[in-house]
Amino acid sequence: MSNEATLLFGVGATKAGTTWLHRYLAGHPDCHLRSIKELHYFDALEEGRVTRVREELDEERARLAARPVPANRARAEARANRIGDLADWSAALADGSEAAYLDYLSNGRGTRRLVADITPAYALLPVARLKRMAAMASDVRFIYLLRDPVDRLWSHVRMIARTRANPGEAIGPRAGRILARVLAGEETHIAKRGDYCAVLTRLWAAVDPTRLCLSFYEELFSQASVDRLCAFLGIAAVPAEFSVRVHAGVPVPMSRDQRRAAAEWLAPQYDFVAERLGRVPAVWQSHRVGV
């Protein structure tokens, strides 16, 4: 990639703060991030879904173009920027090459020092693909955010329940049914996103440990943590906005029985992270025993 920009991959975890991270970096003066947070380039290649991803991009672009231009100038500019990014990314996917991917990330960068692709699905990629990603530029870095396993699972379950719910349907009962299926070994696509044992094992096998930052969601929303992330990325420490959380999800509480069952099922994840990283936040310790 030209001008030696740092290439960052944000690889998860799902429902662990990646959207907030994208927004912070997108507003950082040292960073150049396009408006599409999740590019799904590498997982689409692995799964043979490039054509489908392009179709989804073109459908979104057509919907946006059909809407009236907002009277608010900032919103109108954001709309135009999004439409342009969708068109550019669809064209890059049509090309299909890694060079086109890198050109898309860098287009418009100027002298900014970092470009990024924040796609949590990349955490599921095989080691060979992760190794190839790690060698795509002279300075490639990875960030993986870990969230308390029970909280992450329940947030993910609520998100899926919301997308499947009928108009006017209460989310709680549907979320409970999805959770029960996950704990019974079904809905494996949800469980895989929080399988820290498997994900970290793959990342450690593929990525130079000095180029991999692991951070806890529970500690992310403080300036000290953000400053550490900036230091890892080689960018200036810029104050972050913590008052607004994004994609917080539908506020449906877990029952005590649900929480205990989930904690028991996720016990290997708690134990693995605590053993391999040497510590976990306090909330992890309490949830580990179903409290």
Side-chain angles (χ1 to χ4, degrees), residues 96-237:
S97 68
E98 290 182 357
Y101 168 78
L102 294 173
D103 285 345
Y104 169 81
L105 291 178
S106 293
N107 186 28
R109 177 175 66 88
T111 60
R112 282 170 285 187
R113 298 161 57 184
L114 181 142
V115 297
D117 177 358
I118 311 293
T119 303
Y122 293 166
L124 305 183
L125 292 169
V127 170
R129 177 65 69 177
L130 291 168
K131 285 184 176 181
R132 183 162 181 168
M133 292 164 63
M136 286 185 71
S138 60
D139 186 6
V140 180
R141 309 193 187 198
F142 290 73
I143 289 179
Y144 186 69
L145 303 175
L146 299 92
R147 184 178 182 179
D148 171 78
V150 170
D151 285 346
R152 194 221 67 83
L153 173 61
W154 186 236
S155 180
H156 197 170
V157 163
R158 297 195 325 267
M159 179 183 73
I160 298 297
R162 185 178 69 250
T163 62
R164 295 179 184 174
N166 298 313
E169 178 185 355
I171 297 298
R174 182 178 286 272
R177 293 192 295 272
I178 294 173
L179 177 65
R181 290 197 295 272
V182 172
L183 301 185
E186 304 172 33
E187 302 267 13
T188 56
H189 62 100
I190 298 175
K192 287 179 181 177
R193 296 297 184 102
D195 187 353
Y196 297 145
C197 304
V199 171
L200 291 176
T201 298
R202 288 194 296 270
L203 287 172
W204 285 328
V207 181
D208 180 335
T210 66
R211 301 295 177 176
L212 172 63
C213 177
L214 304 176
S215 186
F216 291 109
Y217 168 89
E218 292 78 12
E219 298 171 352
L220 177 62
F221 304 103
S222 72
Q223 194 59 49
S225 292
V226 171
D227 290 351
R228 285 192 292 271
L229 284 176
C230 290
F232 167 74
L233 295 172
I235 59 178

